[in-house]
Amino acid sequence: MRAVRKSLKCLTLTWAFSIAAMDRIACNYFNGIDSTAHRSTLQYVGQSIQISGDWGSELIAITDITISDRLGNAPRTISLPNGAACELDGGAQTNAFLSQFAAKESPWFRAQFDWRWAAASIAALAVFAVAGYRWGVPLASDFLAARVPKIALEKMSDVALLELDRTVLNPSKLPEARQRDLAERFAKMKPPGGTAIAHRVEFRNAEKYVGPNAFALPSGIIVMTDQLVELMQNDEQILGVLAHELGHVEHQHGMRNVIQASFIGAAVAYWLGDVSSVLAGGTTALLHTKYSRQYETEADDFGAAMMRANGLSPTSLATALEALEGRSRRQNADNTGTESAKSEGKQAAETPKRSARSRDWSDYISTHPNTAERAERLRQ
Ligand SMILES: [Zn+2]
């Protein structure tokens, strides 16, 4: 009772519209037996309410009644212990009357009617969503990436490579002995942690679309284009690029990207133990998502450590990055300049598709960001 009295005090202060000493109000009384509405009066008497009408009168302790919550201007209902009920219109007078003895509405409940709270809630939700995306999803993707079965990584990587071979890559034109020599020399290099990391180097000719580039697939397949081999000034630079790519494998950057890109599907798939949905969406995500600056730094650090562990200089990797960026810039400039000229003549139908494709790939290459900054870091 003390609580009710206390809340009465608070509410009297809180309500902006004070309706002074209002102790009675009209209501419709339903006896709980038939559906007839009896026009009645509801009166506040001490710690009870009295309901009176042509049907008679009833005095009920406030502790025995239940009052429905306020919801806009919807009618309010007072449920009585014997199955009867009183219905009041949902206007300001009703709310003021009920607030005298209804349990105090919680601040959360009242907040529903305050636009400032609504605006604050939307803002809080937005902050929560952004924070979830910024930190929650990467954290969860790291957790999940480490738990994707090896067979799934292999399948996804094989499918991705097949897709690349079908669209933008061609068999390497490098002599087989040269390919074997590079792959074997790289395989002999000690990774920084000492533990061997499963990988396979694949060379491809990518004259038309990709140009000089190297990338890693989650299973450990590292694809290096003939054009990258040609662009490098020496084999140490080639090994440096391979070491950088092995860093992406070691840190599972590809898989982390894929999971972040299809996060919900992947989370569900993980808990259901079905990776097929990740595989379906993953191959596309694998080929089109960019590595973040953080991932590139991690791969650079790994590459540099691997170079040092084998008596090679990380500077080679820095020089390789600069050469790649320089080449990529020239390629971008060429693409923009020659596009309109190329779309003439008998290739007209085919060319727009091709240039769109080569633009995709130059975007892909340009996603190795902040080359100058990275090169400087590697040289330190
Ligand atoms: Zn990279």
Side-chain angles (χ1 to χ4, degrees):
M1 268 315 95
R2 200 175 291 158
V4 174
R5 227 175 268 152
K6 205 173 158 193
S7 68
L8 164 80
K9 226 185 215 169
C10 292
L11 281 164
T12 323
L13 290 172
T14 310
W15 284 100
F17 44 88
S18 77
I19 294 168
M22 198 178 124
D23 69 343
R24 66 182 66 202
I25 196 165
C27 73
N28 281 326
Y29 174 80
F30 296 90
N31 59 17
I33 301 162
D34 58 53
S35 61
T36 315
H38 299 274
R39 204 62 190 151
S40 305
T41 305
L42 193 69
Q43 193 172 4
Y44 178 46
V45 185
Q47 301 309 321
S48 304
I49 54 165
Q50 182 155 37
I51 307 152
S52 320
D54 54 5
W55 51 275
S57 176
E58 216 176 331
L59 186 72
I60 302 151
I62 286 168
T63 46
D64 292 341
I65 63 172
T66 313
I67 304 171
S68 68
D69 282 337
R70 190 155 60 93
L71 196 69
N73 286 329
R76 306 280 300 266
T77 305
I78 301 178
S79 305
L80 309 171
N82 54 5
C86 278
E87 194 182 82
L88 296 85
D89 74 68
Q93 283 208 330
T94 298
N95 291 330
F97 176 79
L98 292 178
S99 70
Q100 296 179 89
F101 54 89
K104 191 184 173 190
E105 288 167 343
S106 75
W108 295 115
F109 181 78
R110 273 184 282 125
Q112 293 176 51
F113 302 95
D114 187 336
W115 67 268
R116 284 163 300 194
W117 274 100
S121 310
I122 292 168
L125 189 67
V127 168
F128 185 77
V130 168
Y133 183 75
R134 175 72 181 75
W135 294 290
V137 170
L139 268 179
S141 74
D142 295 354
F143 173 83
L144 291 169
R147 284 159 181 81
V148 174
K150 197 169 166 251
I151 181 116
L153 294 180
E154 280 166 4
K155 193 165 177 188
M156 184 188 281
S157 305
D158 291 348
V159 170
L161 186 56
L162 273 175
E163 179 62 16
L164 291 169
D165 281 338
R166 198 180 62 78
T167 52
V168 291
L169 299 177
N170 289 306
S172 174
K173 286 181 183 166
L174 292 177
E176 274 198 25
R178 171 77 170 136
Q179 294 181 38
R180 207 171 35 244
D181 174 58
L182 284 170
E184 278 174 9
R185 277 162 64 197
F186 183 62
K188 275 184 199 147
M189 283 171 69
K190 286 187 298 243
T195 320
I197 298 161
H199 70 272
R200 186 177 90 225
V201 181
E202 295 269 349
F203 293 93
R204 292 288 189 277
N205 187 307
E207 213 173 346
K208 271 186 197 162
Y209 306 121
V210 185
N213 203 1
F215 52 91
L217 298 170
S219 67
I221 298 174
I222 297 173
V223 180
M224 179 171 273
T225 67
D226 295 356
Q227 288 63 39
L228 185 136
V229 176
E230 285 154 16
L231 181 71
M232 297 293 103
Q233 292 154 331
N234 55 52
D235 289 1
E236 198 169 311
Q237 291 178 359
I238 296 172
L239 296 174
V241 172
L242 289 173
H244 168 95
E245 293 306 325
L246 194 64
H248 284 310
V249 174
E250 169 66 3
H251 291 294
Q252 293 170 309
H253 291 154
M255 202 58 223
R256 281 153 77 175
N257 263 358
V258 167
I259 293 176
Q260 286 185 36
S262 56
F263 183 71
I264 307 235
V268 170
Y270 171 71
W271 294 113
L272 297 182
D274 170 17
V275 292
S276 56
S277 62
V278 189
L279 286 178
T283 309
T284 320
L286 196 59
L287 301 181
H288 291 282
T289 51
K290 303 171 175 187
Y291 285 143
S292 67
R293 187 188 291 208
Q294 179 207 335
Y295 287 1
E296 289 308 339
T297 308
E298 280 175 11
D300 283 345
D301 289 350
F302 181 97
M306 188 162 175
M307 297 291 273
R308 277 192 295 267
N310 294 277
L312 303 171
S313 167
T315 305
S316 306
L317 177 54
T319 316
L321 289 176
E322 285 162 347
L324 272 165
E325 169 157 289
R327 179 57 210 257
S328 157
R329 282 206 179 150
R330 282 196 298 280
Q331 198 180 15
N332 277 345
D334 286 355
N335 280 348
T336 329
T338 53
E339 225 164 79
S340 53
K342 275 198 286 185
S343 53
E344 286 168 16
K346 60 181 177 182
Q347 283 193 334
E350 205 185 353
T351 307
K353 204 166 135 199
R354 276 195 185 177
S355 42
R357 204 189 270 171
S358 65
R359 253 202 311 277
D360 278 359
W361 278 97
S362 51
D363 282 352
Y364 181 91
I365 296 158
S366 70
T367 59
H368 280 100
N370 303 88
T371 305
E373 202 179 291
R374 289 171 58 200
E376 197 188 317
R377 199 164 170 274
L378 283 165
R379 288 200 171 95
Q380 278 164 6

